Every structure is written in C-alpha cells, then in structure tokens.
Amino acid sequence: MTPSDEQNKVDFIHNPHFVEWVTKPTDELNQFWEAYLSENPSRKKELDHARFLLKGLLINEHSLTEAEVLALWDKIEKTKSSRNTKVIWLKRWSAAAGILLILGISGWLMSNLRSKTDTVINYKSIASNIVPGNEIKLILSDQSQKIFSSKDVELKYNQDGKLETKTGNQVQTEELRKSMETTQMNQLVVPRGKRSTIVLADGTKLWLNSGSRAIYPVAFNGKTREIYIEGEGYLEVAHDASMPFYVVSNQIKIKVLGTKFDISAYKEDKSISVVLVEGSVQATTATENLVMKPNQILNYEKLTQRSTIAKANVLEYVSWKDGWMLCNKEQIKSITTKLSRYYDVKISYNDLNLSNMTLTGKLDLKSNCEEVFKVICATAPLKYQVIGHEIFLTKK
Amino acid sequence: MGLEYEVNSDTLLWNDFIKGNEDAFQVIYNKHVRSLFKYGCHFTPDEAHVKDCIHDIFIDLAKYRSGLGATNNIKLYLFKSLKRKIIKSLDKSAIFGSIDTEQIPFHYAISTEDDLLDTESEQLRFQQLDKAMATLSPRQKEAIYLKFVSDLSYEELSKVMELNYQSARNLVFRGLEKLRESFPKNLFLFFLRSGKSWQVTG
C-alpha cells in the first residue's frame, strides 16, 4: 500500500459529503458518487472500504423512540416543578399579603404582575388539566366550566368584556368577571364529532375542527397576540401590524400579520401541516424558519423535525369549515382518518390495499355519517357495513 | 412551543435558557437528547441508567441555570456533563479519587445480525470489522465514535476526552488504521442505490 493510497482513504471518511451519502443517501448523492466513480475508477476500492467502514461504525446504535423522548422530558419537567413548588407558593402568598396589608405599594405589585404576563405560558400544562369528554367544553379563567351538548357552538368575545354564546338559534350574553390577572385565559375543547367557531376580542375568527382545543386570552394586551391550538383550526386573522399574531402549537410556531390559513397539528398525526390561503405567514420549528406564500402547504415531520413546502389546492384543506370535504386523488386512508374524527366513528378495512386507493370528489359533511359513506360507495368500488359504532369497508 | 431558534445560534439559545426561558430549555433537550443517549449507552449497556443520568444532567442545568457561564457549544457542554455523570455513577469511589481515564470502558461492538446487512458476504466482512474493533483501546473506540458517529470536530472531541488536539487526532488515525487491517484482500464492490446495496464480485 502506497502512502498516497493511505491518504485517499482518510480523505473519503473525512469528507462530509461522503459521510452524508453513506448515512442519508439521496438520488442526487447517488448520482454524484456514481459519476465520481466512473471518472475515478482507480479509487473504487478505497471508496468501498471507507463506505463499508463507516457503515460498520454506524450500525447497532441504541436509539430512543419518540415515546421515550417524550416520557423522559415529562419526568424532567416533573422533577423540576416539584422543586419549584415551594418557591411559587411563597410568591403567591407574598402577592396576596401585599393586597391585603399594604395598599401603598400597589405600584410595585402592578409591575410584578406585568412581568408575570411577559413570561412564556405553559400551554401544555393548561391543556393537560382538561380531558376531552363527549361534549364541547369551555373553561373560563376562574376554572369554571360550561358544557355544550349541541353539535357546534359559536363564541364571540367583545372588546367590552362580554361573551356571546350561540348554540343553534339561542344567543346568550354574559359579562366575564374581571380578575386581578391581566391576562385571563379561556380554553375551548371540542371533542371528536363536533365543531366550533370563536371570534376573538380583536375580531380574528377561528374555526376549530373535531378533536381539537384552543387556549386564548379573553382580551389581547401587550405587544403581541398569541393563541394555542392543538388539533385542526382555520383562522382568519384580523390585521393589526402593531400587534403581530402568533399561533403556537406543539413543535411549531406561526407568525402572521393578517391572513387566512389552516393548521393541522393533531397529537396522533406524524406530521403537522399549515396551509396558507391568503397573506403571509412565517413558521418556526426547532430547526427551521420558513416563510410561506398563498396556495402553499407546509408539512413538518415530527420525527425528523424537517419541513417541506409544496403547492396545494387550498380548498381541499379548508373546506371542512364550510361543511364540505374536497378530495383530489386523496388516499382512502387519509379520508377515513378525517371522517372518523369528524363523525367520531371507528372506520376499518380488512384489505390493506384499500387504504392506498385514491378518491376524487366532494363530500357533504352536513349530512350524516352514513349518507357520506353511501356517496363514497356509490363512486368507489367499495361496500360499507355499520356494526355498532364501527364502519367496515370492503371491496365490491 | 415557541421555538424561535435557528440551527446555529447556540450562544443566543443558551443565553435565553440562562435567563429562565422554558422554551429554550426544551429546545436544548429536543436537539440533543437522542445523541446523548446513544453516546451514553456505550459506557454502560443499562439503558435505564443512561436515561437517569440524562434526567440528572438536565435537572442540574435547570437548578444551576442562573449561575451558568456562557457557551457557544451546547452539544460539547452536554456531552462532557453526561460523560462525567455516568462515570461517577458507575464508579462511586471515583468521587473521592481521580479517575483513571484509560480504565473507563467504552463498548463498541459491530452487530452482525442487523437487518440492515444485505448479504452474507457483507455479514462476514462486518464480523471481521468487529474483531478488529475488539483490539482497539477503549479511548481509541471512544475517539472514533465521537468523530464519526457523534460528528464532533477534533477540537470538540479533544475537549470531551480531556486530551490535547494532537493526541485526539492520533487516537482516531491509529484506531482507523487497525480497523482497516480487517479488510479482505479480494475485492467486493458495493454501491448504494436508493438506500439498498447491490453487489458485484470482481
């Protein structure tokens, strides 16, 4: 073996481009290295050795599953907060004592409260207090709950602190109690099979799809507007350049100025998607910062933490808010996932090939579940059967 | 949650974390927990123990956050912390005396039963490589691991291993040399095509 041979092998394994090819081969990298080899046939052996060596070094790694990553984080959070409990309790007590005993330092108290609202809100812990049931639930800032047994509910927050609630043709107005906290957070939890709309205090309208929740302030004060969404929501954000609007979800944060868009961030889905109808949004994830244009869809893979942006027929993604579902060569698998959330039914098929079959058409979600399946089965070579709360699909 | 951090802004991320930003803390965890776990499992096969150690270093971070200094390399900081934590936990007596770094084990076996191996001849070659790996010193194994699997620079790996730059390089190069001795004299060529290997005998 000559010294130059020696050097060459070291070169390959120390070449980041080469390492990328071995660890994450893409068509592009394959082409590059195959072209390289046909130009440098004498280096085939070295390249092979380096590739093989690297492959050997990388196999047999212990890996954490995503569930383990989450479980470990929860444990860390728990240990951390149990350590903090004492401190928080002391802070609360001193604040209360301040109000009761020394009115003279209210200026100091106010500044204390203001700094409190600047801190980051732990939406996850707010959300974890409320388990979705069978009915739509509204949780007010004093933790009292309103339960709605209707299929949908329309909420409207007025700037004067009143809340209008509309179910069917009934409208109720009530004064929201003012509390010492400058930011009162409300939470709306929409179970599977139901939907809701909220008009926020700034005029922004939010449609919440089945199996979703939103956490939002009763009034926006401060430099920014921020709400939290889990599941799917469609937003028409009221324009206010001086107060940017943020939508926060697990693993993704979206900044908007005045715009219409859809976010789908279901816990159980492997990816989060954002579809932009109008305006401009900026999406921020752990690793990326992306600006979207209208008629685009952003897909964020939770596992790899990578996003892709593609052109999209936006109507397919946002028509649910008007009670339609548009499918354009959409896989049965994806259609049934959405329908099963929308109607809260279990949908199964005995033939795995079925799940990859694609459908094109328009489904009327205002009709009941069985009617929707009648329509599907009239166009596709499928049969459906209802057994209890479950729908079985089979090939005709 | 609000993840307003670019990939290479360790200094900013760290500063936010020190100032008490919980999002920053979670971003740090998410970015590094997977590679930390992989690294930790080479010191001990006890996965639960590695998880406990990772838990402890993040609790330490939260506990002492306001007193922590600046860093522009969080990964390096975490790798060093985890290594120290695991070694101390494996050898309780080391808390009082100094640790003989040469004696710290580093398990690095190359599995030959992996599903990723495409052919029998490839399996044989990995068996040879595994034999060669067994002749390396624990520190040579660790250096090669940190360089090629954890993707650290020589500068970084010398810091994790508490060596000077040249010694770190030497460990990697001599280790690689020993591994290369395992290569067969007759030639097989492998190419990667769309993630799968096919083979030409020549």
Side-chain angles (χ1 to χ4, degrees):
Chain A
M1 195 176 282
T2 65
S4 72
D5 275 346
E6 195 64 25
Q7 195 49 51
N8 287 340
K9 245 173 281 163
V10 169
D11 277 348
F12 280 127
I13 205 163
H14 281 85
N15 178 342
H17 201 57
F18 174 81
V19 174
E20 203 189 329
W21 175 52
V22 177
T23 51
K24 295 174 213 112
T26 61
D27 286 344
E28 209 180 316
L29 284 166
N30 285 339
Q31 272 167 26
F32 174 88
W33 286 100
E34 276 172 31
Y36 175 88
L37 271 184
S38 59
E39 279 166 35
N40 307 277
S42 64
R43 299 191 69 184
K44 262 183 180 161
K45 186 176 170 183
E46 302 138 34
L47 185 116
D48 168 48
H49 279 175
R51 195 188 70 78
F52 167 74
L53 178 56
L54 198 54
K55 208 175 162 190
L57 293 177
L58 291 164
I59 50 175
N60 199 29
E61 279 290 291
H62 294 251
S63 299
L64 285 177
T65 63
E66 283 313 288
E68 284 176 308
V69 169
L70 286 177
L72 184 50
W73 173 252
D74 282 348
K75 202 174 157 198
I76 291 168
E77 286 271 83
K78 235 181 223 163
T79 316
K80 212 166 71 124
S81 58
S82 69
R83 242 177 22 83
N84 286 337
T85 325
K86 214 172 168 183
V87 181
I88 290 166
W89 186 82
L90 272 174
K91 268 191 194 155
R92 282 208 186 126
W93 180 82
S94 62
I99 302 160
L100 282 170
L101 303 173
I102 322 157
L103 289 163
I105 60 159
S106 62
W108 173 81
L109 259 179
M110 283 307 287
S111 66
N112 213 20
L113 282 172
R114 214 170 291 137
S115 67
K116 206 164 152 192
T117 59
D118 286 342
T119 56
V120 178
I121 301 158
N122 190 348
Y123 293 107
K124 254 194 214 158
S125 82
I126 300 177
S128 64
N129 289 334
I130 308 296
V131 187
N134 294 322
E135 312 291 359
I136 299 171
K137 270 191 252 183
L138 172 67
I139 298 92
L140 300 168
S141 54
D142 61 1
Q143 297 306 307
S144 64
Q145 294 194 8
K146 282 177 183 297
I147 313 266
F148 304 95
S149 51
S150 51
K151 272 237 167 294
D152 50 51
V153 59
E154 291 173 32
L155 303 181
K156 189 169 188 293
Y157 290 85
N158 292 329
Q159 275 175 324
D160 54 7
K162 286 199 182 88
L163 167 64
E164 276 174 33
T165 320
K166 190 178 169 200
T167 47
N169 289 322
Q170 278 194 315
V171 184
Q172 270 192 329
T173 309
E174 67 179 292
E175 195 89 28
L176 289 169
R177 248 169 293 159
K178 296 234 162 56
S179 82
M180 273 302 289
E181 301 264 347
T182 40
T183 312
Q184 294 183 60
M185 301 301 270
N186 282 8
Q187 179 175 183
L188 188 70
V189 184
V190 180
R192 294 161 64 104
K194 304 205 170 189
R195 272 134 323 263
S196 291
T197 59
I198 309 172
V199 177
L200 297 168
D202 66 335
T204 293
K205 193 165 181 189
L206 164 66
W207 283 257
L208 264 187
N209 207 346
S210 316
S212 305
R213 76 170 85 215
I215 301 171
Y216 49 91
V218 169
F220 293 102
N221 31 41
K223 287 184 192 122
T224 57
R225 297 172 282 170
E226 187 178 290
I227 68 165
Y228 171 84
I229 292 179
E230 221 175 80
E232 181 165 24
Y234 172 79
L235 284 110
E236 291 183 3
V237 176
H239 184 77
D240 182 355
S242 65
M243 248 175 136
F245 196 100
Y246 289 90
V247 177
V248 177
S249 190
N250 288 333
Q251 303 191 41
I252 199 160
K253 184 170 179 174
I254 294 154
K255 182 186 177 181
V256 295
L257 281 168
T259 207
K260 298 178 179 174
F261 73 102
D262 184 88
I263 173 167
S264 174
Y266 283 101
K267 266 188 188 162
E268 62 272 25
D269 286 356
K270 287 192 184 106
S271 64
I272 295 174
S273 70
V274 180
V275 174
L276 182 60
V277 180
E278 221 178 275
S280 158
V281 302
Q282 184 186 335
T284 308
T285 68
T287 52
E288 291 158 314
N289 221 329
L290 301 143
V291 177
M292 290 177 69
K293 288 184 196 141
N295 300 313
Q296 283 187 334
I297 178 167
L298 176 146
N299 259 310
Y300 170 81
E301 287 295 327
K302 291 180 189 167
L303 192 70
T304 58
Q305 302 193 332
R306 290 275 171 271
S307 316
T308 47
I309 290 185
K311 258 188 123 169
N313 176 7
V314 292
L315 277 179
E316 283 168 37
Y317 297 92
V318 304
S319 54
W320 61 265
K321 79 176 174 68
D322 303 316
W324 296 98
M325 184 166 153
L326 286 181
C327 316
N328 183 15
K329 288 182 192 152
E330 191 164 348
Q331 288 193 333
I332 292 269
K333 192 164 49 184
S334 139
I335 296 173
T336 52
T337 305
K338 287 180 191 167
L339 289 177
S340 117
R341 271 181 200 135
Y342 201 92
Y343 290 109
D344 193 18
V345 287
K346 199 173 172 224
I347 302 167
S348 351
Y349 17 68
N350 56 351
D351 185 352
L352 278 178
N353 290 328
L354 267 185
S355 66
N356 293 322
M357 178 191 272
T358 60
L359 286 184
T360 301
K362 188 174 172 184
L363 297 170
D364 184 358
L365 299 178
K366 293 183 286 294
S367 46
N368 71 36
C369 182
E370 204 172 334
E371 282 165 13
V372 168
F373 274 94
K374 260 183 207 156
V375 173
I376 292 178
C377 296
T379 27
L382 296 171
K383 271 192 308 198
Y384 77 93
Q385 213 183 340
V386 186
I387 299 169
H389 249 71
E390 208 168 335
I391 292 177
F392 289 90
L393 285 175
T394 42
K395 247 183 196 158
K396 251 180 212 161
Chain B
M1 311 294 293
L3 310 176
E4 293 186 326
Y5 302 100
E6 307 254 343
V7 189
N8 292 317
S9 56
D10 268 13
T11 312
L12 289 176
L13 179 60
W14 190 254
N15 277 346
D16 280 2
F17 158 66
I18 288 174
K19 281 189 222 140
N21 183 331
E22 291 305 317
D23 278 0
F25 186 54
Q26 193 175 1
V27 170
I28 292 172
Y29 171 82
N30 253 323
K31 238 170 129 174
H32 299 289
V33 65
R34 295 166 189 83
S35 52
L36 282 169
F37 179 76
K38 288 180 178 175
Y39 177 51
C41 285
H42 286 270
F43 290 104
T44 165
D46 183 353
E47 292 193 356
H49 184 67
V50 174
K51 282 187 197 168
D52 286 346
C53 289
I54 292 175
H55 169 267
D56 291 352
I57 64 167
F58 277 94
I59 290 302
D60 285 350
L61 278 182
K63 202 156 130 191
Y64 304 116
R65 73 198 308 173
S66 54
L68 295 172
T71 183
N72 56 8
N73 195 330
I74 297 173
K75 184 177 184 180
L76 180 60
Y77 185 95
L78 293 174
F79 268 61
K80 278 167 77 171
S81 308
L82 181 66
K83 183 179 177 179
R84 210 175 307 132
K85 188 65 91 185
I86 293 180
I87 289 164
K88 276 193 180 173
S89 68
L90 290 180
D91 183 4
K92 290 284 173 206
S93 63
I95 297 167
F96 303 104
S98 63
I99 309 163
D100 180 359
T101 48
E102 274 307 305
Q103 296 310 307
I104 305 163
F106 196 84
H107 308 283
Y108 202 163
I110 289 159
S111 164
T112 49
E113 285 153 30
D114 204 291
D115 296 338
L116 296 169
L117 304 187
D118 299 304
T119 59
E120 225 171 280
S121 69
E122 200 170 15
Q123 250 183 41
L124 272 170
R125 292 182 68 185
F126 280 115
Q127 275 169 18
Q128 293 297 319
L129 187 61
D130 188 44
K131 270 188 200 157
M133 185 61 99
T135 67
L136 265 58
S137 76
R139 297 289 70 76
Q140 280 176 327
K141 288 182 196 169
E142 187 182 359
I144 284 180
Y145 178 84
L146 289 172
K147 183 78 193 75
F148 297 108
V149 184
S150 306
D151 200 22
L152 296 187
S153 67
Y154 284 114
E155 187 74 44
E156 291 169 326
L157 101 84
S158 69
K159 283 184 180 143
V160 174
M161 298 188 67
E162 294 171 338
L163 296 166
N164 66 44
Y165 184 87
Q166 194 51 47
S167 318
R169 262 184 89 91
N170 289 346
L171 276 178
V172 172
F173 278 78
R174 294 207 183 116
L176 281 180
E177 217 26 70
K178 277 198 192 172
L179 292 181
R180 285 214 186 83
E181 283 166 17
S182 72
F183 291 148
K185 296 288 173 278
N186 56 339
L187 182 62
F188 294 97
L189 294 177
F190 297 86
F191 296 97
L192 283 182
R193 183 164 271 181
S194 52
K196 278 212 163 177
S197 304
W198 45 277
Q199 179 196 351
V200 182
T201 338

